[in-house]
Amino acid sequence: RAANASAPSAAGDVREGLQNWFVGGLPATSGRYHVTVEAENGVGLRAQREAVVDVDATGPSEGTVWDGAGAVDLEVLGVGSPVVTQWKGLWDTESDVTLLEYTLEERRYRKPSITVLPWREVTGDLYSVQAPLAVGKRYGSRLRVTNEVGLSVVLRTDGFNVVPNDGDWVSGLVVPAYSST
């Protein structure tokens, strides 16, 4: 029975020796439910068991993810520098966030991204990695946030351009311009 709601129920005969019984069509939105199972044998003896079930129908919150250490999102990164990605505000109202995974991709204007580093499990609120980056290319990080029941969201940084360590701008490097039209 759902807490603070009317109690939908199901009844029926179960054949002897059956270990599992499925009931479908009961409304179950996110929340905590108290489930009671009562069994009666052929001579009228009864047994009852109760369990609490948490239902989570939504993925984790999307939080914020950005490129660079500190509070400022960086737009350029010197070649050979480590890629640092930070995040905050990752949570789930119904169940815990149980897995964070990171990947780095090369972003190409109007073309599919190319994976530079495959998905890998990370912890904490910051990840730093040395990656094979090329001057003049744009890269970005993605963070996959998964909750206890396996629902996930993928967050993307807005990306950064790789420049020579001397800070000179790369001839021909164009930052993609996005339009809503």
Side-chain angles (χ1 to χ4, degrees), residues 117-158:
L117 297 175
W119 289 103
R120 55 186 66 184
E121 187 173 340
V122 296
T123 59
D125 59 3
L126 178 143
Y127 184 65
S128 178
V129 64
Q130 200 68 42
L133 306 179
V135 170
K137 303 278 184 175
R138 185 161 184 84
Y139 297 89
S141 300
R142 292 195 302 160
L143 186 70
R144 183 168 41 213
V145 185
T146 305
N147 68 12
E148 203 167 40
V149 297
L151 301 173
S152 63
V153 294
V154 176
L155 310 174
R156 290 172 51 120
T157 65
D158 64 352

Side-chain angles (χ1 to χ4, degrees), residues 27-95:
T29 57
S30 292
R32 176 164 283 182
Y33 294 84
H34 298 268
V35 178
T36 302
V37 176
E38 185 174 280
E40 181 178 333
N41 68 11
V43 295
L45 297 175
R46 293 180 178 197
Q48 181 176 323
R49 297 289 185 265
E50 187 171 306
V52 176
V53 178
D54 289 320
V55 175
D56 186 349
T58 60
S61 75
E62 295 199 4
T64 305
V65 61
W66 66 94
D67 300 302
V72 178
D73 181 52
L74 65 86
E75 295 302 319
V76 294
L77 183 68
V79 69
S81 298
V83 176
V84 178
T85 305
Q86 281 191 256
W87 51 88
K88 69 177 182 178
L90 308 177
W91 53 276
D92 191 294
T93 56
E94 294 92 14
S95 62

Side-chain angles (χ1 to χ4, degrees), residues 8-12 20-28 35:
S9 63
N20 299 305
W21 192 43
F22 172 78
V23 177
L26 297 177
V35 178

Side-chain angles (χ1 to χ4, degrees), residues 74-78 134 136-139 159-163 169 173-176:
L74 65 86
E75 295 302 319
V76 294
L77 183 68
K137 303 278 184 175
R138 185 161 184 84
Y139 297 89
F160 55 89
N161 293 310
V162 176
V163 297
W169 192 253
L173 179 65
V174 177
V175 177

